Amino acid sequence: MLIDSTLREGEQQFGVYFDRSHKEELLRLSLAAGVDEVEVGAVGPSPEHCRELEGLLLYGAMLKGRRQSLSLWCACRPADLRMAAGLAPDRLCMTVPVSDAHIRRKLGLDRQALLGHVARMLDLARELGVAYVSLGLEDVSRADLTFALSVARLAQDKGAARLRLADTVGVLAPAETARLVSAFRAAVNLPLALHLHNDFGMATANAVEGLRAGADFVDASALGLGERAGLASLEQLAGYLTLRLGAEGYDLATVRELCASAARAANMPVPANAPMVGERIFWCESGLHVDGLYKAAELYEPFEPSRVGLSRKLGVGKKSGRAAVARKLGELGLAACGDMQSLTDRVRALSAAKGRVLEDEELLALAK
């Protein structure tokens, strides 16, 4: 299952600010795309912020499907927990550091004190009537595994509904992610979620491998937005799960719309070659590939462009061969001319001079 963290983690990216209308649109599109859980935001000290979260939860509750959930994130502190519980999300995601560096330098505690703190916080969550607590283990990828597993067992004993394993600084590789998931899967009988950062460009691959190893959920964000290099990519995961692993329920065209909306809200472009959503990923100029696409599209495409709301475009330019130029002429209603090599040479020369693929009108002018 995919947890969309665009509204929380995505807004942590430097220079990204979502206003209320942006947040409502992103929430609407995420639910329409079939995402299983949307992390609406993180509780904070501002009363205005809490009112906004409350409004988003109410808005999302009107839109979500029966199997979809809305969650809030909070730090593992009594005041934050009370504030989050008062907003009554479907799921509450509470996070605590488990690496020694974080425990000592960030919290000023030792391991035993941390275990006591986690136990008290989970007891408080139960007292507050929180039905579903997802306990996040921050920086678990750099933690002592034996200690991290002891925190996981404590969480299970204290009634946590889910564990979330966070590769906080994105240091894992796919095989390491699989081993980490397997270790927790063997130690506790709780659903496992993954929160994977992309500092070495492996977050999405780590997410796929983690799911294969037995994880149940993975956090992702539209276009991979997030702190530093971002998170696992929502569109790439939804696409891979749907088109390669046969998952049902994700509307990939709406996922693409979600990414476009996130890009507008973040004041950034969607790269033309971005996997799953880039406008030009099914545009082709290379002679060998164009010829193959004319013969059978599946030779050089992993799936039909229409599956993600895109279309195919075949162009001619300095990388085109005679066959591609002849086929393009046929598309435009002209038969191949007598000296195709000469025409192809002219196409290549003009394309090189202009530094781009030729427009149809330019090809017709050369042919005539």
Side-chain angles (χ1 to χ4, degrees), residues 284-295 314-332 334 336 340 343-344 347-348 360 363:
C284 185
E285 175 195 356
S286 174
L288 178 65
H289 286 190
V290 169
D291 185 55
L293 288 169
Y294 273 115
K295 291 174 179 174
L314 305 181
V316 294
K318 74 172 186 176
K319 292 171 271 187
S320 299
R322 286 177 297 175
V325 173
R327 288 183 179 274
K328 187 66 177 178
L329 285 176
E331 274 188 8
L332 299 174
L334 290 182
M340 282 303 303
L343 176 59
T344 301
V347 164
R348 290 172 173 170
D360 291 349
L363 175 60

PDB file of all heavy atoms in Angstrom, residues 284-295 314-332 334 336 340 343-344 347-348 360 363:
ATOM      1  N   CYS A 284      10.113  10.049 -29.682  1.00  0.00           N
ATOM      2  CA  CYS A 284      11.282   9.321 -30.178  1.00  0.00           C
ATOM      3  C   CYS A 284      11.765   9.921 -31.490  1.00  0.00           C
ATOM      4  O   CYS A 284      10.973  10.270 -32.364  1.00  0.00           O
ATOM      5  CB  CYS A 284      10.932   7.838 -30.368  1.00  0.00           C
ATOM      6  SG  CYS A 284      12.348   6.824 -30.842  1.00  0.00           S
ATOM      7  N   GLU A 285      13.101  10.005 -31.615  1.00  0.00           N
ATOM      8  CA  GLU A 285      13.727  10.533 -32.825  1.00  0.00           C
ATOM      9  C   GLU A 285      14.753   9.561 -33.394  1.00  0.00           C
ATOM     10  O   GLU A 285      14.966   9.519 -34.608  1.00  0.00           O
ATOM     11  CB  GLU A 285      14.416  11.867 -32.504  1.00  0.00           C
ATOM     12  CG  GLU A 285      15.206  12.457 -33.656  1.00  0.00           C
ATOM     13  CD  GLU A 285      16.157  13.557 -33.217  1.00  0.00           C
ATOM     14  OE1 GLU A 285      16.146  13.911 -32.017  1.00  0.00           O
ATOM     15  OE2 GLU A 285      16.917  14.040 -34.073  1.00  0.00           O
ATOM     16  N   SER A 286      15.420   8.791 -32.528  1.00  0.00           N
ATOM     17  CA  SER A 286      16.495   7.908 -32.972  1.00  0.00           C
ATOM     18  C   SER A 286      16.006   6.947 -34.057  1.00  0.00           C
ATOM     19  O   SER A 286      14.980   6.282 -33.902  1.00  0.00           O
ATOM     20  CB  SER A 286      17.024   7.108 -31.774  1.00  0.00           C
ATOM     21  OG  SER A 286      17.970   6.158 -32.186  1.00  0.00           O
ATOM     22  N   GLY A 287      16.749   6.881 -35.153  1.00  0.00           N
ATOM     23  CA  GLY A 287      16.303   6.121 -36.327  1.00  0.00           C
ATOM     24  C   GLY A 287      15.969   4.676 -36.040  1.00  0.00           C
ATOM     25  O   GLY A 287      14.906   4.179 -36.440  1.00  0.00           O
ATOM     26  N   LEU A 288      16.832   3.970 -35.325  1.00  0.00           N
ATOM     27  CA  LEU A 288      16.602   2.560 -35.032  1.00  0.00           C
ATOM     28  C   LEU A 288      15.331   2.377 -34.216  1.00  0.00           C
ATOM     29  O   LEU A 288      14.509   1.497 -34.485  1.00  0.00           O
ATOM     30  CB  LEU A 288      17.805   1.980 -34.283  1.00  0.00           C
ATOM     31  CG  LEU A 288      17.701   0.518 -33.861  1.00  0.00           C
ATOM     32  CD1 LEU A 288      17.650  -0.386 -35.089  1.00  0.00           C
ATOM     33  CD2 LEU A 288      18.880   0.134 -32.973  1.00  0.00           C
ATOM     34  N   HIS A 289      15.151   3.232 -33.221  1.00  0.00           N
ATOM     35  CA  HIS A 289      13.984   3.105 -32.348  1.00  0.00           C
ATOM     36  C   HIS A 289      12.703   3.497 -33.067  1.00  0.00           C
ATOM     37  O   HIS A 289      11.663   2.852 -32.888  1.00  0.00           O
ATOM     38  CB  HIS A 289      14.179   3.959 -31.091  1.00  0.00           C
ATOM     39  CG  HIS A 289      15.156   3.374 -30.135  1.00  0.00           C
ATOM     40  ND1 HIS A 289      15.344   3.860 -28.851  1.00  0.00           N
ATOM     41  CD2 HIS A 289      16.023   2.347 -30.257  1.00  0.00           C
ATOM     42  CE1 HIS A 289      16.274   3.154 -28.233  1.00  0.00           C
ATOM     43  NE2 HIS A 289      16.702   2.230 -29.069  1.00  0.00           N
ATOM     44  N   VAL A 290      12.758   4.566 -33.856  1.00  0.00           N
ATOM     45  CA  VAL A 290      11.562   4.974 -34.597  1.00  0.00           C
ATOM     46  C   VAL A 290      11.116   3.872 -35.543  1.00  0.00           C
ATOM     47  O   VAL A 290       9.924   3.535 -35.627  1.00  0.00           O
ATOM     48  CB  VAL A 290      11.819   6.281 -35.376  1.00  0.00           C
ATOM     49  CG1 VAL A 290      10.679   6.558 -36.356  1.00  0.00           C
ATOM     50  CG2 VAL A 290      11.963   7.455 -34.416  1.00  0.00           C
ATOM     51  N   ASP A 291      12.051   3.275 -36.231  1.00  0.00           N
ATOM     52  CA  ASP A 291      11.719   2.188 -37.150  1.00  0.00           C
ATOM     53  C   ASP A 291      11.078   1.027 -36.392  1.00  0.00           C
ATOM     54  O   ASP A 291      10.078   0.448 -36.831  1.00  0.00           O
ATOM     55  CB  ASP A 291      12.975   1.724 -37.880  1.00  0.00           C
ATOM     56  CG  ASP A 291      12.667   0.674 -38.949  1.00  0.00           C
ATOM     57  OD1 ASP A 291      11.828   0.963 -39.826  1.00  0.00           O
ATOM     58  OD2 ASP A 291      13.245  -0.418 -38.887  1.00  0.00           O
ATOM     59  N   GLY A 292      11.646   0.694 -35.227  1.00  0.00           N
ATOM     60  CA  GLY A 292      11.077  -0.380 -34.415  1.00  0.00           C
ATOM     61  C   GLY A 292       9.687  -0.055 -33.910  1.00  0.00           C
ATOM     62  O   GLY A 292       8.794  -0.909 -33.899  1.00  0.00           O
ATOM     63  N   LEU A 293       9.466   1.199 -33.503  1.00  0.00           N
ATOM     64  CA  LEU A 293       8.150   1.604 -33.007  1.00  0.00           C
ATOM     65  C   LEU A 293       7.092   1.538 -34.100  1.00  0.00           C
ATOM     66  O   LEU A 293       5.932   1.193 -33.835  1.00  0.00           O
ATOM     67  CB  LEU A 293       8.222   3.016 -32.427  1.00  0.00           C
ATOM     68  CG  LEU A 293       8.955   3.153 -31.089  1.00  0.00           C
ATOM     69  CD1 LEU A 293       9.200   4.614 -30.756  1.00  0.00           C
ATOM     70  CD2 LEU A 293       8.165   2.487 -29.968  1.00  0.00           C
ATOM     71  N   TYR A 294       7.468   1.869 -35.316  1.00  0.00           N
ATOM     72  CA  TYR A 294       6.524   1.747 -36.422  1.00  0.00           C
ATOM     73  C   TYR A 294       6.140   0.278 -36.651  1.00  0.00           C
ATOM     74  O   TYR A 294       4.993  -0.030 -37.001  1.00  0.00           O
ATOM     75  CB  TYR A 294       7.123   2.332 -37.705  1.00  0.00           C
ATOM     76  CG  TYR A 294       6.903   3.802 -37.880  1.00  0.00           C
ATOM     77  CD1 TYR A 294       7.981   4.683 -37.866  1.00  0.00           C
ATOM     78  CD2 TYR A 294       5.626   4.327 -38.069  1.00  0.00           C
ATOM     79  CE1 TYR A 294       7.789   6.054 -38.047  1.00  0.00           C
ATOM     80  CE2 TYR A 294       5.437   5.686 -38.241  1.00  0.00           C
ATOM     81  CZ  TYR A 294       6.510   6.543 -38.221  1.00  0.00           C
ATOM     82  OH  TYR A 294       6.314   7.894 -38.392  1.00  0.00           O
ATOM     83  N   LYS A 295       7.102  -0.622 -36.455  1.00  0.00           N
ATOM     84  CA  LYS A 295       6.840  -2.045 -36.700  1.00  0.00           C
ATOM     85  C   LYS A 295       6.041  -2.681 -35.563  1.00  0.00           C
ATOM     86  O   LYS A 295       5.106  -3.446 -35.802  1.00  0.00           O
ATOM     87  CB  LYS A 295       8.161  -2.777 -36.895  1.00  0.00           C
ATOM     88  CG  LYS A 295       8.875  -2.402 -38.182  1.00  0.00           C
ATOM     89  CD  LYS A 295      10.258  -3.037 -38.272  1.00  0.00           C
ATOM     90  CE  LYS A 295      10.942  -2.659 -39.584  1.00  0.00           C
ATOM     91  NZ  LYS A 295      12.348  -3.155 -39.641  1.00  0.00           N
ATOM     92  N   LEU A 314       6.525  10.646 -32.789  1.00  0.00           N
ATOM     93  CA  LEU A 314       7.713  10.231 -33.530  1.00  0.00           C
ATOM     94  C   LEU A 314       8.158  11.379 -34.416  1.00  0.00           C
ATOM     95  O   LEU A 314       7.376  11.907 -35.212  1.00  0.00           O
ATOM     96  CB  LEU A 314       7.406   8.987 -34.371  1.00  0.00           C
ATOM     97  CG  LEU A 314       6.835   7.785 -33.586  1.00  0.00           C
ATOM     98  CD1 LEU A 314       6.591   6.611 -34.517  1.00  0.00           C
ATOM     99  CD2 LEU A 314       7.758   7.388 -32.448  1.00  0.00           C
ATOM    100  N   GLY A 315       9.410  11.787 -34.278  1.00  0.00           N
ATOM    101  CA  GLY A 315       9.913  12.918 -35.021  1.00  0.00           C
ATOM    102  C   GLY A 315      11.137  12.551 -35.834  1.00  0.00           C
ATOM    103  O   GLY A 315      11.713  11.466 -35.694  1.00  0.00           O
ATOM    104  N   VAL A 316      11.542  13.448 -36.728  1.00  0.00           N
ATOM    105  CA  VAL A 316      12.751  13.242 -37.518  1.00  0.00           C
ATOM    106  C   VAL A 316      13.712  14.392 -37.256  1.00  0.00           C
ATOM    107  O   VAL A 316      13.311  15.532 -37.014  1.00  0.00           O
ATOM    108  CB  VAL A 316      12.449  13.132 -39.031  1.00  0.00           C
ATOM    109  CG1 VAL A 316      11.641  11.890 -39.316  1.00  0.00           C
ATOM    110  CG2 VAL A 316      11.744  14.375 -39.549  1.00  0.00           C
ATOM    111  N   GLY A 317      15.000  14.056 -37.293  1.00  0.00           N
ATOM    112  CA  GLY A 317      16.031  15.044 -37.031  1.00  0.00           C
ATOM    113  C   GLY A 317      17.385  14.480 -37.378  1.00  0.00           C
ATOM    114  O   GLY A 317      17.496  13.572 -38.215  1.00  0.00           O
ATOM    115  N   LYS A 318      18.420  14.975 -36.719  1.00  0.00           N
ATOM    116  CA  LYS A 318      19.778  14.581 -37.108  1.00  0.00           C
ATOM    117  C   LYS A 318      20.106  13.133 -36.733  1.00  0.00           C
ATOM    118  O   LYS A 318      21.107  12.585 -37.193  1.00  0.00           O
ATOM    119  CB  LYS A 318      20.802  15.529 -36.502  1.00  0.00           C
ATOM    120  CG  LYS A 318      21.060  15.377 -35.019  1.00  0.00           C
ATOM    121  CD  LYS A 318      22.235  16.246 -34.605  1.00  0.00           C
ATOM    122  CE  LYS A 318      22.608  15.993 -33.154  1.00  0.00           C
ATOM    123  NZ  LYS A 318      23.812  16.780 -32.769  1.00  0.00           N
ATOM    124  N   LYS A 319      19.233  12.507 -35.913  1.00  0.00           N
ATOM    125  CA  LYS A 319      19.462  11.105 -35.529  1.00  0.00           C
ATOM    126  C   LYS A 319      18.621  10.137 -36.354  1.00  0.00           C
ATOM    127  O   LYS A 319      18.621   8.938 -36.096  1.00  0.00           O
ATOM    128  CB  LYS A 319      19.148  10.927 -34.031  1.00  0.00           C
ATOM    129  CG  LYS A 319      20.122  11.646 -33.123  1.00  0.00           C
ATOM    130  CD  LYS A 319      19.673  11.645 -31.678  1.00  0.00           C
ATOM    131  CE  LYS A 319      18.801  12.851 -31.381  1.00  0.00           C
ATOM    132  NZ  LYS A 319      18.474  12.992 -29.955  1.00  0.00           N
ATOM    133  N   SER A 320      17.889  10.640 -37.318  1.00  0.00           N
ATOM    134  CA  SER A 320      16.947   9.807 -38.079  1.00  0.00           C
ATOM    135  C   SER A 320      17.624   9.128 -39.267  1.00  0.00           C
ATOM    136  O   SER A 320      18.566   9.670 -39.866  1.00  0.00           O
ATOM    137  CB  SER A 320      15.775  10.645 -38.588  1.00  0.00           C
ATOM    138  OG  SER A 320      15.068  11.219 -37.515  1.00  0.00           O
ATOM    139  N   GLY A 321      17.113   7.940 -39.600  1.00  0.00           N
ATOM    140  CA  GLY A 321      17.559   7.234 -40.790  1.00  0.00           C
ATOM    141  C   GLY A 321      16.539   7.333 -41.906  1.00  0.00           C
ATOM    142  O   GLY A 321      15.464   7.922 -41.746  1.00  0.00           O
ATOM    143  N   ARG A 322      16.875   6.732 -43.053  1.00  0.00           N
ATOM    144  CA  ARG A 322      15.995   6.826 -44.222  1.00  0.00           C
ATOM    145  C   ARG A 322      14.620   6.224 -43.958  1.00  0.00           C
ATOM    146  O   ARG A 322      13.601   6.782 -44.375  1.00  0.00           O
ATOM    147  CB  ARG A 322      16.650   6.129 -45.418  1.00  0.00           C
ATOM    148  CG  ARG A 322      17.804   6.914 -46.029  1.00  0.00           C
ATOM    149  CD  ARG A 322      18.454   6.141 -47.153  1.00  0.00           C
ATOM    150  NE  ARG A 322      19.033   4.900 -46.663  1.00  0.00           N
ATOM    151  CZ  ARG A 322      19.588   3.967 -47.452  1.00  0.00           C
ATOM    152  NH1 ARG A 322      19.598   4.131 -48.763  1.00  0.00           N
ATOM    153  NH2 ARG A 322      20.116   2.875 -46.926  1.00  0.00           N
ATOM    154  N   ALA A 323      14.599   5.068 -43.287  1.00  0.00           N
ATOM    155  CA  ALA A 323      13.312   4.400 -43.043  1.00  0.00           C
ATOM    156  C   ALA A 323      12.396   5.274 -42.199  1.00  0.00           C
ATOM    157  O   ALA A 323      11.191   5.385 -42.465  1.00  0.00           O
ATOM    158  CB  ALA A 323      13.535   3.047 -42.375  1.00  0.00           C
ATOM    159  N   ALA A 324      12.968   5.924 -41.179  1.00  0.00           N
ATOM    160  CA  ALA A 324      12.153   6.774 -40.314  1.00  0.00           C
ATOM    161  C   ALA A 324      11.627   7.982 -41.078  1.00  0.00           C
ATOM    162  O   ALA A 324      10.457   8.377 -40.925  1.00  0.00           O
ATOM    163  CB  ALA A 324      12.966   7.227 -39.107  1.00  0.00           C
ATOM    164  N   VAL A 325      12.465   8.584 -41.922  1.00  0.00           N
ATOM    165  CA  VAL A 325      12.024   9.732 -42.714  1.00  0.00           C
ATOM    166  C   VAL A 325      10.924   9.317 -43.687  1.00  0.00           C
ATOM    167  O   VAL A 325       9.912  10.019 -43.844  1.00  0.00           O
ATOM    168  CB  VAL A 325      13.216  10.355 -43.470  1.00  0.00           C
ATOM    169  CG1 VAL A 325      12.730  11.450 -44.428  1.00  0.00           C
ATOM    170  CG2 VAL A 325      14.232  10.937 -42.482  1.00  0.00           C
ATOM    171  N   ALA A 326      11.089   8.145 -44.326  1.00  0.00           N
ATOM    172  CA  ALA A 326      10.081   7.671 -45.272  1.00  0.00           C
ATOM    173  C   ALA A 326       8.752   7.413 -44.575  1.00  0.00           C
ATOM    174  O   ALA A 326       7.677   7.757 -45.088  1.00  0.00           O
ATOM    175  CB  ALA A 326      10.582   6.403 -45.963  1.00  0.00           C
ATOM    176  N   ARG A 327       8.803   6.811 -43.392  1.00  0.00           N
ATOM    177  CA  ARG A 327       7.560   6.523 -42.662  1.00  0.00           C
ATOM    178  C   ARG A 327       6.886   7.818 -42.209  1.00  0.00           C
ATOM    179  O   ARG A 327       5.658   7.929 -42.214  1.00  0.00           O
ATOM    180  CB  ARG A 327       7.850   5.610 -41.478  1.00  0.00           C
ATOM    181  CG  ARG A 327       8.168   4.181 -41.878  1.00  0.00           C
ATOM    182  CD  ARG A 327       8.373   3.312 -40.640  1.00  0.00           C
ATOM    183  NE  ARG A 327       8.665   1.933 -40.988  1.00  0.00           N
ATOM    184  CZ  ARG A 327       7.750   1.005 -41.228  1.00  0.00           C
ATOM    185  NH1 ARG A 327       6.460   1.342 -41.172  1.00  0.00           N
ATOM    186  NH2 ARG A 327       8.091  -0.227 -41.512  1.00  0.00           N
ATOM    187  N   LYS A 328       7.682   8.787 -41.782  1.00  0.00           N
ATOM    188  CA  LYS A 328       7.102  10.067 -41.373  1.00  0.00           C
ATOM    189  C   LYS A 328       6.438  10.761 -42.555  1.00  0.00           C
ATOM    190  O   LYS A 328       5.358  11.351 -42.415  1.00  0.00           O
ATOM    191  CB  LYS A 328       8.185  10.960 -40.773  1.00  0.00           C
ATOM    192  CG  LYS A 328       7.663  12.247 -40.169  1.00  0.00           C
ATOM    193  CD  LYS A 328       6.779  11.969 -38.948  1.00  0.00           C
ATOM    194  CE  LYS A 328       6.315  13.250 -38.296  1.00  0.00           C
ATOM    195  NZ  LYS A 328       5.411  12.999 -37.146  1.00  0.00           N
ATOM    196  N   LEU A 329       7.062  10.682 -43.733  1.00  0.00           N
ATOM    197  CA  LEU A 329       6.433  11.244 -44.934  1.00  0.00           C
ATOM    198  C   LEU A 329       5.094  10.566 -45.204  1.00  0.00           C
ATOM    199  O   LEU A 329       4.109  11.223 -45.560  1.00  0.00           O
ATOM    200  CB  LEU A 329       7.357  11.066 -46.139  1.00  0.00           C
ATOM    201  CG  LEU A 329       8.582  11.990 -46.227  1.00  0.00           C
ATOM    202  CD1 LEU A 329       9.430  11.612 -47.429  1.00  0.00           C
ATOM    203  CD2 LEU A 329       8.148  13.450 -46.315  1.00  0.00           C
ATOM    204  N   GLY A 330       5.054   9.237 -45.046  1.00  0.00           N
ATOM    205  CA  GLY A 330       3.800   8.512 -45.241  1.00  0.00           C
ATOM    206  C   GLY A 330       2.725   8.994 -44.288  1.00  0.00           C
ATOM    207  O   GLY A 330       1.551   9.120 -44.670  1.00  0.00           O
ATOM    208  N   GLU A 331       3.093   9.260 -43.029  1.00  0.00           N
ATOM    209  CA  GLU A 331       2.136   9.799 -42.060  1.00  0.00           C
ATOM    210  C   GLU A 331       1.561  11.128 -42.542  1.00  0.00           C
ATOM    211  O   GLU A 331       0.402  11.452 -42.272  1.00  0.00           O
ATOM    212  CB  GLU A 331       2.821  10.028 -40.704  1.00  0.00           C
ATOM    213  CG  GLU A 331       2.858   8.826 -39.798  1.00  0.00           C
ATOM    214  CD  GLU A 331       3.367   9.205 -38.415  1.00  0.00           C
ATOM    215  OE1 GLU A 331       3.536  10.410 -38.134  1.00  0.00           O
ATOM    216  OE2 GLU A 331       3.605   8.289 -37.622  1.00  0.00           O
ATOM    217  N   LEU A 332       2.395  11.898 -43.233  1.00  0.00           N
ATOM    218  CA  LEU A 332       1.990  13.235 -43.688  1.00  0.00           C
ATOM    219  C   LEU A 332       1.348  13.214 -45.061  1.00  0.00           C
ATOM    220  O   LEU A 332       1.066  14.266 -45.651  1.00  0.00           O
ATOM    221  CB  LEU A 332       3.198  14.164 -43.677  1.00  0.00           C
ATOM    222  CG  LEU A 332       3.865  14.375 -42.310  1.00  0.00           C
ATOM    223  CD1 LEU A 332       5.133  15.206 -42.453  1.00  0.00           C
ATOM    224  CD2 LEU A 332       2.894  15.036 -41.350  1.00  0.00           C
ATOM    225  N   LEU A 334       2.625  11.849 -47.956  1.00  0.00           N
ATOM    226  CA  LEU A 334       3.525  11.903 -49.107  1.00  0.00           C
ATOM    227  C   LEU A 334       4.209  10.550 -49.289  1.00  0.00           C
ATOM    228  O   LEU A 334       4.587   9.905 -48.304  1.00  0.00           O
ATOM    229  CB  LEU A 334       4.598  12.976 -48.920  1.00  0.00           C
ATOM    230  CG  LEU A 334       4.150  14.435 -48.977  1.00  0.00           C
ATOM    231  CD1 LEU A 334       5.362  15.349 -48.810  1.00  0.00           C
ATOM    232  CD2 LEU A 334       3.455  14.746 -50.300  1.00  0.00           C
ATOM    233  N   ALA A 336       7.401   8.198 -50.421  1.00  0.00           N
ATOM    234  CA  ALA A 336       8.855   8.363 -50.377  1.00  0.00           C
ATOM    235  C   ALA A 336       9.356   8.866 -51.724  1.00  0.00           C
ATOM    236  O   ALA A 336       8.884   8.437 -52.783  1.00  0.00           O
ATOM    237  CB  ALA A 336       9.515   7.024 -50.038  1.00  0.00           C
ATOM    238  N   MET A 340      15.940   9.139 -51.304  1.00  0.00           N
ATOM    239  CA  MET A 340      15.696   9.247 -49.870  1.00  0.00           C
ATOM    240  C   MET A 340      16.972   9.579 -49.101  1.00  0.00           C
ATOM    241  O   MET A 340      16.923  10.243 -48.064  1.00  0.00           O
ATOM    242  CB  MET A 340      15.087   7.947 -49.334  1.00  0.00           C
ATOM    243  CG  MET A 340      13.613   7.795 -49.634  1.00  0.00           C
ATOM    244  SD  MET A 340      12.602   9.167 -48.996  1.00  0.00           S
ATOM    245  CE  MET A 340      13.004   9.124 -47.270  1.00  0.00           C
ATOM    246  N   LEU A 343      17.423  13.340 -49.203  1.00  0.00           N
ATOM    247  CA  LEU A 343      16.454  13.989 -48.314  1.00  0.00           C
ATOM    248  C   LEU A 343      16.845  13.792 -46.854  1.00  0.00           C
ATOM    249  O   LEU A 343      16.785  14.724 -46.037  1.00  0.00           O
ATOM    250  CB  LEU A 343      15.050  13.442 -48.571  1.00  0.00           C
ATOM    251  CG  LEU A 343      13.948  13.965 -47.632  1.00  0.00           C
ATOM    252  CD1 LEU A 343      13.840  15.487 -47.710  1.00  0.00           C
ATOM    253  CD2 LEU A 343      12.615  13.317 -47.958  1.00  0.00           C
ATOM    254  N   THR A 344      17.242  12.573 -46.518  1.00  0.00           N
ATOM    255  CA  THR A 344      17.636  12.288 -45.138  1.00  0.00           C
ATOM    256  C   THR A 344      18.843  13.124 -44.737  1.00  0.00           C
ATOM    257  O   THR A 344      18.898  13.653 -43.611  1.00  0.00           O
ATOM    258  CB  THR A 344      17.947  10.792 -44.969  1.00  0.00           C
ATOM    259  OG1 THR A 344      16.794  10.031 -45.320  1.00  0.00           O
ATOM    260  CG2 THR A 344      18.331  10.470 -43.533  1.00  0.00           C
ATOM    261  N   VAL A 347      17.575  16.543 -44.009  1.00  0.00           N
ATOM    262  CA  VAL A 347      16.857  16.548 -42.726  1.00  0.00           C
ATOM    263  C   VAL A 347      17.856  16.635 -41.578  1.00  0.00           C
ATOM    264  O   VAL A 347      17.709  17.441 -40.647  1.00  0.00           O
ATOM    265  CB  VAL A 347      15.984  15.279 -42.596  1.00  0.00           C
ATOM    266  CG1 VAL A 347      15.539  15.071 -41.142  1.00  0.00           C
ATOM    267  CG2 VAL A 347      14.775  15.369 -43.513  1.00  0.00           C
ATOM    268  N   ARG A 348      18.895  15.822 -41.649  1.00  0.00           N
ATOM    269  CA  ARG A 348      19.891  15.813 -40.580  1.00  0.00           C
ATOM    270  C   ARG A 348      20.619  17.147 -40.483  1.00  0.00           C
ATOM    271  O   ARG A 348      20.840  17.670 -39.378  1.00  0.00           O
ATOM    272  CB  ARG A 348      20.898  14.685 -40.832  1.00  0.00           C
ATOM    273  CG  ARG A 348      20.341  13.283 -40.642  1.00  0.00           C
ATOM    274  CD  ARG A 348      21.349  12.252 -41.112  1.00  0.00           C
ATOM    275  NE  ARG A 348      20.908  10.894 -40.799  1.00  0.00           N
ATOM    276  CZ  ARG A 348      21.508   9.802 -41.264  1.00  0.00           C
ATOM    277  NH1 ARG A 348      22.562   9.914 -42.079  1.00  0.00           N
ATOM    278  NH2 ARG A 348      21.054   8.599 -40.938  1.00  0.00           N
ATOM    279  N   ASP A 360       6.721  19.273 -38.666  1.00  0.00           N
ATOM    280  CA  ASP A 360       6.170  18.609 -39.853  1.00  0.00           C
ATOM    281  C   ASP A 360       6.266  19.502 -41.090  1.00  0.00           C
ATOM    282  O   ASP A 360       6.581  19.041 -42.191  1.00  0.00           O
ATOM    283  CB  ASP A 360       4.704  18.218 -39.612  1.00  0.00           C
ATOM    284  CG  ASP A 360       4.574  17.092 -38.588  1.00  0.00           C
ATOM    285  OD1 ASP A 360       5.595  16.484 -38.228  1.00  0.00           O
ATOM    286  OD2 ASP A 360       3.424  16.840 -38.164  1.00  0.00           O
ATOM    287  N   LEU A 363       9.722  19.426 -42.622  1.00  0.00           N
ATOM    288  CA  LEU A 363       9.987  18.203 -43.375  1.00  0.00           C
ATOM    289  C   LEU A 363       9.262  18.247 -44.720  1.00  0.00           C
ATOM    290  O   LEU A 363       9.844  17.881 -45.755  1.00  0.00           O
ATOM    291  CB  LEU A 363       9.548  16.978 -42.569  1.00  0.00           C
ATOM    292  CG  LEU A 363       9.651  15.637 -43.283  1.00  0.00           C
ATOM    293  CD1 LEU A 363      11.099  15.338 -43.698  1.00  0.00           C
ATOM    294  CD2 LEU A 363       9.087  14.509 -42.417  1.00  0.00           C
TER     295      LEU A 363
END
